[in-house]
Amino acid sequence: MISENLKKVLKKQKYGLVGGHSAVQICRWTKKSLLDEGFCYKEKFYGISSHRCCQMSPSVVWCQNKCLHCWRAIEFTLGDKMEGRIDKPEKIIEECIKAQRKMLSGFKGNKKINIKKFKEAQNPSQFAISLSGEPTIYPYLAELIKELRKRGKSSFLVTNGLLPEKLLELKRKKALPTQLYLSLNAPNEKMYKDWHKSKLKDAWKRFNKTLSILPKLSTRRVIRMTLVRELNMKPEFIPEYAKLIKKSGADFVEVKGFMSVGFARKRLGYERMPSHEEIKDFAKRLLKNLKGYKFLDEKIESRVVLLGRNKKRMKIKKSEI
């Protein structure tokens, strides 16, 4: 499914390839946690364990969009439909765990390693279904999430919202993830088209349909905003962003700064990375337009602020997995 040339590119980016179309990558916060040098903002906000998180994708190079801020090699995108032999969820999960163990094996020799965490990391308890590509393109996503739940693992699904029917399928099959993320990076249709360069002509319409579906989904719903200095974080956009967020009925809003990493460095330089103070200022301005939302938390190292309705709901309970 993936050409040898593309495999070389992905391996150079430290991806562990799994089966015909999936991949894992060790997050830098997983590495830091193993060395007791810090942890992911998701651990601080939601209570997941950074050292036991598996960052993966079941559709690593398939997406409808070629987003301006994307860190992956978007020129290698294989389209918006997966064809050929499709791996089953059980195989993907097992192989992802094996790949993660292999990629972590070198840490055991590090004298600074927290050996207790290292042993726990051999059996990830959290799957971040994001990494690269659009996961809702994978045809057995519902079965993948249900299998993770069966194994007692939490799941964070990140989507661009261009397949609203897929989210309805997850609802119908009782396969909604522990936490569902919708990426919101543009305040209006014009900027959406310029920013995401979608293959789908009705992408904005599809995205808005997903926004209207979110309130009907009985899971934790998060709007994730990735903001780029002097582009999509201008103050005049705030009322438009607020309108879209209200439509979603999201439980939480992550206001996060763009990081110039991977192939995004070629499209957007370091000067486009907003400081944490800029992110915090934008979030506070946004709050003035979001009745019922509050400033819940922040993580300076990740340049992210969390807005939400209820601070008591932040930490994930076992009953929600």
Side-chain angles (χ1 to χ4, degrees):
M1 238 183 213
I2 301 175
S3 70
E4 290 303 316
N5 183 41
L6 182 49
K7 285 180 180 179
K8 288 179 182 179
V9 173
L10 293 170
K11 287 177 181 178
K12 191 175 181 180
Q13 284 195 293
K14 309 296 182 184
Y15 284 79
L17 300 181
V18 173
H21 48 76
S22 304
V24 297
Q25 188 181 57
I26 307 299
C27 172
R28 73 186 184 98
W29 288 110
T30 296
K31 298 174 184 177
K32 281 181 173 291
S33 180
L34 288 170
L35 299 173
D36 288 329
E37 294 178 351
F39 47 83
C40 174
Y41 72 89
K42 298 185 191 76
E43 179 168 332
K44 186 183 183 192
F45 294 171
Y46 312 119
I48 65 103
S49 298
S50 299
H51 67 286
R52 296 191 67 189
C53 181
C54 180
Q55 183 182 225
M56 56 80 68
S57 172
S59 48
V60 67
V61 284
W62 285 265
C63 191
Q64 307 94 334
N65 296 343
K66 293 186 177 181
C67 303
L68 187 65
H69 69 297
C70 188
W71 59 81
R72 66 188 177 87
I74 56 177
E75 63 271 22
F76 289 109
T77 301
L78 296 183
D80 61 343
K81 291 182 181 178
M82 297 174 68
E83 298 176 341
R85 185 175 178 179
I86 307 296
D87 296 329
K88 293 298 176 67
E90 295 84 358
K91 177 182 178 181
I92 292 176
I93 295 169
E94 290 294 336
E95 293 301 317
C96 279
I97 293 173
K98 287 180 183 178
Q100 177 122 330
R101 286 173 179 168
K102 183 177 180 181
M103 295 168 79
L104 287 173
S105 60
F107 277 77
K108 195 173 183 181
N110 192 320
K111 293 181 180 179
K112 295 181 180 179
I113 196 77
N114 181 321
I115 197 65
K116 180 176 182 293
K117 282 186 176 181
F118 179 77
K119 289 178 179 178
E120 290 175 343
Q122 305 307 304
N123 182 30
S125 57
Q126 150 72 9
F127 271 61
I129 310 173
S130 52
L131 182 58
S132 178
E134 172 50 40
T136 59
I137 290 175
Y138 173 59
Y140 303 124
L141 182 60
E143 290 74 16
L144 177 69
I145 293 171
K146 289 180 82 171
E147 182 63 26
L148 287 171
R149 187 186 300 146
K150 180 181 174 183
R151 298 181 185 213
K153 303 182 189 298
S154 56
S155 57
F156 282 16
L157 173 66
V158 180
T159 180
N160 59 25
L162 296 189
L163 290 176
E165 63 274 16
K166 194 73 178 186
L167 298 183
L168 290 174
E169 178 189 331
L170 296 183
K171 179 186 178 183
R172 188 176 68 252
K173 292 184 176 180
K174 297 181 179 180
L176 288 166
T178 309
Q179 190 152 290
L180 175 65
Y181 282 85
L182 176 62
S183 298
L184 171 61
N185 307 307
N188 53 57
E189 186 172 9
K190 182 183 183 305
M191 178 165 277
Y192 187 94
K193 288 180 178 179
D194 294 340
W195 193 276
H196 294 288
K197 297 177 175 57
S198 184
K199 180 181 179 181
L200 305 179
K201 293 181 179 179
D202 62 344
W204 179 247
K205 183 179 178 181
R206 285 171 170 266
F207 178 79
N208 274 273
K209 185 175 181 182
T210 292
L211 283 173
S212 66
I213 286 172
L214 283 187
K216 304 170 186 175
L217 304 180
S218 57
T219 189
R220 298 165 56 94
R221 301 148 301 168
V222 183
I223 291 292
R224 173 183 286 176
M225 303 173 69
T226 302
L227 300 178
V228 181
R229 181 187 286 152
E230 297 178 359
L231 285 180
N232 68 339
M233 65 179 298
K234 295 177 181 178
E236 58 264 36
F237 294 148
I238 287 176
E240 293 177 291
Y241 278 126
K243 186 178 179 180
L244 296 172
I245 292 168
K246 289 174 186 175
K247 187 176 180 180
S248 75
D251 301 292
F252 304 102
V253 180
E254 292 180 2
V255 186
K256 195 174 188 306
F258 159 74
M259 303 300 285
S260 186
V261 296
F263 284 84
R265 286 176 293 186
K266 297 181 180 180
R267 296 184 288 274
L268 298 167
Y270 291 108
E271 69 278 3
R272 294 291 189 179
M273 292 170 53
S275 67
H276 181 73
E277 285 306 312
E278 287 175 298
I279 290 296
K280 194 171 180 178
D281 178 67
F282 188 92
K284 287 182 176 180
R285 289 171 183 248
L286 182 60
L287 266 181
K288 292 179 181 179
N289 292 261
L290 288 174
K291 187 178 179 180
Y293 286 83
K294 304 171 186 176
F295 186 100
L296 299 183
D297 209 344
E298 63 183 315
K299 195 162 193 299
I300 296 172
E301 304 93 324
S302 300
R303 305 186 195 193
V304 61
V305 164
L306 183 68
L307 311 178
R309 302 176 185 276
N310 190 338
K311 194 164 188 174
K312 292 180 181 179
R313 282 208 64 214
M314 284 173 58
K315 303 299 182 183
I316 295 171
K317 301 179 180 65
K318 286 186 177 181
S319 60
E320 295 179 293
I321 296 174

